[in-house]
Amino acid sequence: MTGWSFRVSVICLCITGLLGCPAIEEPADDAGADSGSEGPRDAGASGDAAVSDDAGNTQVDLWRAVAGGTNHSCGVDAQGQVWCWGDNSSGQLGSASPSSSPSPVQVAGVGSAVAVSAGWAHSCAVNEAGEVWCWGWNDLGALGDGSTDERTSPVRARDVSGAVDVACGDSHTCALTDSGAVWCWGFNEYGQLGDGSAPQDKYTPVQVSALRDATSVAAGFMHTCASSADGKAWCWGSNDYGEAGPNANPDGMEPNPVPLEVTGVGEVQRVTAGDAFGCALTGQGAVWCWGENDSGQLGGGSGGGVPSQVSDLADVADLSAGSYHLCAVDSAGQVLCLGDNSSGQLGVDPGVTEGGPSPRQVGDLASASRVAAGDTHTCAATIGAPGVWCWGAGEEGQLGG
């Protein structure tokens, strides 16, 4: 994932024109992409999710989901419409135009969506009917439609029904169903599809048969992780830096084609996966991580396959791993990030490029409901003053405008 220039200054933008973004004056030194044409200003109240704060005040969450890819971002609004913005060189915005767009582009053909995910150059969403729809780059079968043809509009991933969530990795995709099954497709050189087969790409979904009670799934660069109903974390695929956990083959070039328990962490509710690391969120709001730690994305841990707790993160409600950074939303709605900050993806004060293992609060952003860490940018959805806010690298329009 190299070959693009980075903007170091931190930019925090509301994605304008979408779902009641508040009128906030942008910084005078804003170097963001042009806003272009605006999306819908009034989304109505249908499908809004009511949330009560500590004072008992009712707030409205206008976003069902938000996702960060390499150079693009996506979100699902309260009516289930999918919007994407940023790089569109492979059709990952769901538009036939090859141009990047800082203005959100509505993705037609998905139906009413409940989840969305963004990978290197492809995107996928789950609709209320439990179908998985994908679009964008497809050379290795990441769209799951049985072809390797690039798609600028959504195509349905075959054989998967009852889906409730989807996770896009670099060049592979996985889906979680309402029965706890996990299905994966795409690039499989390191066994990241988890079906136990020889390293061969799969253009249609295959079931991870060793997992039948999964509660979450996350796709990294060349590895995949999941949590199960018994509170365990599982990973498979590449293990160059210990991202597949302590029980994986220590030879990073050897595939790990079936799920292996990540021992050392328990009561896991959900997992997230970065470039070569994984993290688990427990029922107590604690965060445990393992794998690569070159940028301090694991907190104070030493890295490698043995999980360590990120001691400075507590009462965490949502968690998302980027390529080399990690962000969390705590119970107070604050966003905290740690790890690589070479492009401002931690959202700290302008001019600060140092990252590291200590979580830092993202500016004055408050009342966040969810966070999505991309490659070198991050987005968060907020309630109260509803909107999507993004910061970090924005040369392809992935911060919106």
Side-chain angles (χ1 to χ4, degrees), residues 262-278:
V262 181
T263 51
V265 57
E267 299 185 41
V268 177
Q269 284 196 336
R270 54 162 297 193
V271 292
T272 185
D275 184 86
F277 71 102

Side-chain angles (χ1 to χ4, degrees), residues 21 34 40 49 58 97 115 145 179 191-192 210 220 234 271 310 351:
C21 290
D34 293 338
T58 298
S97 170
D145 67 334
S179 67
Q192 57 263 53
W234 306 81
V271 292
V310 183

Side-chain angles (χ1 to χ4, degrees), residues 1 69-70 72 90 117-124 134-145 147-148 166-174 183-193 200-205 218-224 274-275 323:
M1 295 184 183
T70 296
H72 74 293
S90 296
S117 185
W120 171 62
H122 75 291
S123 310
C124 294
C134 300
W135 56 97
W137 188 78
N138 196 32
D139 284 10
L140 300 175
L143 305 189
D145 67 334
S147 79
T148 56
V166 65
C168 293
D170 180 78
S171 303
H172 75 292
T173 308
C174 294
W183 294 74
C184 297
W185 56 95
F187 188 44
N188 194 39
E189 182 175 351
Y190 294 94
Q192 57 263 53
L193 302 190
Q200 183 176 359
D201 305 339
K202 303 294 175 60
Y203 304 147
T204 58
F221 181 53
M222 292 185 184
H223 76 294
T224 309
D275 184 86
S323 286

Side-chain angles (χ1 to χ4, degrees), residues 1-28:
M1 295 184 183
T2 57
W4 47 82
S5 60
F6 294 135
R7 182 175 51 193
V8 174
S9 60
V10 177
I11 298 172
C12 189
L13 300 175
C14 180
I15 306 303
T16 56
L18 285 183
L19 299 178
C21 290
I24 294 178
E25 183 178 353
E26 295 176 4

Side-chain angles (χ1 to χ4, degrees), residues 15 40 44 52 81 124 148 155 196 199 205-206 220 233 241 251 257 268 271 280 306 328 334 341 364 369 399:
I15 306 303
S52 295
Q81 297 171 328
C124 294
T148 56
V155 291
V206 293
Y241 297 92
D251 184 350
V268 177
V271 292
V306 178
Q334 298 175 328
N341 194 45
D364 296 324
S369 59
L399 303 185

Side-chain angles (χ1 to χ4, degrees), residues 36 118 215 264 315 397:
T215 57
D315 297 320

